[in-house]
Amino acid sequence: MTSIEFTSQVQKISLTLRPAAMNLTRDADDAKDLVQETLLKALLNKDKFKAGTNLKAWLYTIMRNTFINNYNKITKRSSNIDSTEYFQYFNTDQNYITYNGATSDFVVRDINEAIAGLGTDYRTPFMMYYIGYKYMEIADKLQIPIGTVKNRIHIARKELKSALQVYAPVGASAGDVSEAVED
């Protein structure tokens, strides 16, 4: 199909696009804009149309997708998220507030010491998992079964929870701390 034939067929079908655009937009001006944008996209992408297929359906698909994309853009722009309630409770737990750098230095040092206190069999898979390796990647690199990897990471977590119990939130039981660390 030549460019002239394609353009001619698109012009003939364009008259039938307006009622469908009106159904989508419910506004005459928006419907005109949608049809115009659809025709522009169709003409710019005429090389993607396969001769012998349904041109009308192709144009309707372009129009529907254009409408959906425009609708999503508008709703994303106009939606305001009220975050004041979120920020009101953000970091209000006294156990997690650092008043000076020395306190955080102690915490980091305690965490590093707790990790260093783990046996090498447990520390290596735990640190690999912490860095971002997947269980299967750790198993491949260390040449051990995946079940062993999962077990060693689980044991390392339990030992770290035990060693860092002093940093548990006030009033939290050991079970609450273990759930928080596993998340």
Side-chain angles (χ1 to χ4, degrees):
M1 176 182 302
T2 66
S3 292
I4 296 171
E5 291 172 343
F6 179 81
T7 306
S8 172
Q9 287 184 4
V10 167
Q11 281 179 333
K12 288 177 190 172
I13 296 172
S14 68
L15 299 174
T16 64
L17 293 176
R18 182 113 187 260
M22 205 47 196
N23 274 341
L24 290 171
T25 62
R26 310 267 186 230
D27 181 67
D29 291 332
D30 290 341
K32 286 179 187 176
D33 290 343
L34 181 60
V35 169
Q36 187 176 12
E37 193 171 349
T38 301
L39 295 175
L40 177 65
K41 286 182 179 181
L43 293 173
L44 290 174
N45 294 299
K46 65 183 166 207
D47 56 314
K48 295 180 181 176
F49 176 73
K50 295 180 181 140
T53 59
N54 189 345
L55 179 61
K56 190 174 183 179
W58 187 67
L59 289 171
Y60 277 99
T61 303
I62 292 172
M63 184 170 59
R64 184 196 53 184
N65 291 341
T66 302
F67 173 75
I68 291 170
N69 290 340
N70 288 342
Y71 178 80
N72 287 337
K73 284 179 192 173
I74 290 168
T75 55
K76 282 183 183 176
R77 251 188 255 141
S78 66
S79 65
N80 294 328
I81 299 172
D82 183 19
S83 58
T84 54
E85 187 174 324
Y86 173 75
F87 288 122
Q88 180 180 359
Y89 298 107
F90 187 69
N91 277 343
T92 58
D93 189 345
Q94 294 300 315
N95 289 325
Y96 299 113
I97 295 176
T98 303
Y99 295 102
N100 62 35
T103 305
S104 64
D105 289 343
F106 288 126
V107 173
V108 170
R109 189 180 67 218
D110 288 349
I111 291 171
N112 287 334
E113 286 175 5
I115 291 171
L118 293 172
T120 319
D121 289 343
Y122 300 109
R123 182 178 48 243
T124 304
F126 176 80
M127 289 307 296
M128 289 176 76
Y129 182 77
Y130 176 76
I131 291 170
Y133 285 92
K134 305 287 184 221
Y135 289 127
M136 191 59 96
E137 294 171 330
I138 296 169
D140 289 342
K141 289 205 185 274
L142 298 179
Q143 298 294 312
I144 56 177
I146 192 166
T148 305
V149 169
K150 290 179 179 180
N151 186 38
R152 288 181 181 176
I153 291 171
H154 175 74
I155 291 171
R157 283 180 172 167
K158 283 178 81 172
E159 288 184 23
L160 289 173
K161 287 177 218 170
S162 169
L164 299 170
Q165 186 66 34
V166 68
Y167 296 107
V170 176
S173 66
D176 294 340
V177 174
S178 65
E179 289 172 9
V181 173
E182 288 177 3
D183 292 336

